[in-house]
Amino acid sequence: MKYIFLLFLAIFFKTHSQNVLVLDSINKKPIPFVTIFIGNNKGTYTNEFGYFNVDRKLNDTLLLSHIGYNDLHIKVSEIKDTIILSPNAIILKEVIIIKGKQQSKFIDFPKRNSSYGSWPITSMSEIVTLVTPNKKNENSKIQKLEFNFLKKKFNEFENNLKTAFRINIYSTKNNEIEDTIYSSDVFIINSYLKEKIELDLSNEEVEFNRKGIFIGIEVIGDIDSNGNLSKKKSSIRPALSSNSIEDYKATTFLKYTFDKKLKLKPINEIFSEKLNIKIDRNLSFGMTISK
């Protein structure tokens, strides 16, 4: 009797849950870490091999989104075992060659504070910083970004845990996020070690204009040994600083990935709520620009 009950459960979940593969329409290769919006304020990602699991009982329309591909809306009832995404057309910008040597400038990390020098950014959320250049740095090109990550402070025994995240850059309008202008490949780090990552943007034509840009670290989640995303809440700890520098102004917020209203909450308000003290912190990063 127990065996029949377990068999019934297995059949039930197999019937109502489906593993779906997301493929590139041209090369037919799986697309890892596609963002999938489910209904209101819910979502998931494809795993390292392009698969995600969907509940067939849902009466929702999914939105699949990935930089470099056209967004796709599809009803759950219409999903088979494979979903195809088509690359969007890339319009190349006109390249103007100017005689003379480009001048590069490295803007170093603001000094990190010993206390509250990092903050855990959990899966399916993003720390975003609005960065506005001073007049000297206006209309420069961002060549490289660098980020430091501190060790997690708890559960040190899980020292082989890998966490996936990516770097996003957004245009801004009225100090709000407007459009995604760049999204990196996924980085996977050991969140129980100190890590540093460098992002080469020399071929991306990312302009640091007077309106500024948003720079974000989007945490996708922990990756298990089979390449699947863990259902547990995971986090990484990017370095923060309270030191301002003359090259730009910065204001840092927390954004929830699947919040379609794009509500941004200043992290200093979160500090005040959780710690009941006033703390001024921003995301700390190094940046190389050129003119």
Side-chain angles (χ1 to χ4, degrees), residues 27-275:
N27 60 28
K28 307 305 180 191
K29 290 184 178 179
I31 310 173
F33 305 114
V34 174
T35 307
I36 302 165
F37 294 88
I38 305 171
N40 293 321
N41 302 327
K42 292 181 182 179
T44 187
Y45 299 90
T46 58
N47 68 8
E48 198 172 0
F49 306 106
Y51 284 94
F52 75 100
N53 195 269
V54 64
D55 184 350
R56 292 175 59 85
K57 294 184 295 180
L58 291 174
N59 186 27
D60 282 316
T61 296
L62 306 186
L63 166 60
L64 282 75
S65 179
H66 196 285
I67 195 79
Y69 292 87
N70 294 311
D71 286 354
L72 177 68
H73 293 82
I74 184 169
K75 292 182 179 178
V76 171
S77 59
E78 296 173 353
I79 293 175
K80 307 301 182 185
D81 58 354
T82 303
I83 295 175
I84 305 294
L85 293 187
S86 57
N88 52 26
I90 299 173
I91 300 174
L92 297 177
K93 296 180 181 178
E94 180 183 1
V95 177
I96 300 173
I97 300 173
I98 302 173
K99 290 183 179 179
K101 189 177 180 181
Q102 261 192 343
Q103 290 186 334
S104 291
K105 176 182 181 181
F106 175 61
I107 303 171
D108 204 352
F109 291 82
K111 187 176 179 183
R112 185 172 61 83
N113 303 81
S114 56
S115 60
Y116 310 112
S118 69
W119 190 257
I121 309 303
T122 58
S123 51
M124 301 187 183
S125 65
E126 183 173 1
I127 186 171
V128 292
T129 298
L130 175 59
V131 187
T132 309
N134 65 10
K135 280 200 170 184
K136 287 184 180 179
N137 294 327
E138 281 181 8
N139 302 319
S140 55
K141 304 289 185 184
I142 299 179
Q143 301 294 318
K144 185 165 72 170
L145 290 171
E146 302 174 30
F147 301 89
N148 286 324
F149 296 88
L150 280 65
K151 295 192 295 185
K152 280 187 178 181
K153 297 183 177 180
F154 305 103
N155 298 329
E156 296 289 342
F157 58 88
E158 296 186 58
N159 56 8
N160 292 319
L161 196 62
K162 305 295 183 182
T163 306
F165 67 93
R166 58 183 157 222
I167 308 299
N168 298 316
I169 300 176
Y170 306 95
S171 59
T172 176
K173 184 176 182 180
N174 299 325
N175 294 334
E176 296 287 341
I177 288 176
E178 185 179 28
D179 293 312
T180 303
I181 57 177
Y182 173 81
S183 189
S184 74
D185 291 334
V186 169
F187 293 92
I188 298 178
I189 63 171
N190 186 336
S191 53
Y192 289 98
L193 298 175
K194 273 188 175 182
E195 298 272 9
K196 179 177 181 178
I197 66 108
E198 296 183 358
L199 181 62
D200 184 359
L201 295 167
S202 57
N203 295 321
E204 302 299 333
E205 293 291 311
V206 178
E207 187 175 349
F208 198 19
N209 58 42
R210 66 182 180 83
K211 291 193 300 182
I213 57 172
F214 278 95
I215 298 172
I217 301 175
E218 175 193 355
V219 180
I220 295 171
D222 290 339
I223 307 293
D224 66 22
S225 57
N226 296 317
N228 294 314
L229 288 168
S230 170
K231 292 182 179 179
K232 296 179 181 178
K233 275 283 184 184
S234 53
S235 66
I236 55 177
R237 301 186 72 99
L240 305 179
S241 173
S242 66
N243 290 21
S244 58
I245 57 178
E246 62 180 18
D247 290 281
Y248 59 76
K249 290 182 180 178
T251 309
T252 301
F253 306 86
L254 186 65
K255 177 172 95 69
Y256 296 100
T257 304
F258 298 104
D259 182 354
K260 292 181 180 177
K261 295 181 180 178
L262 282 177
K263 295 175 184 175
L264 300 180
K265 186 164 187 178
I267 63 166
N268 292 320
E269 287 185 15
I270 298 171
F271 277 126
S272 297
E273 291 171 3
K274 291 184 177 291
L275 304 173

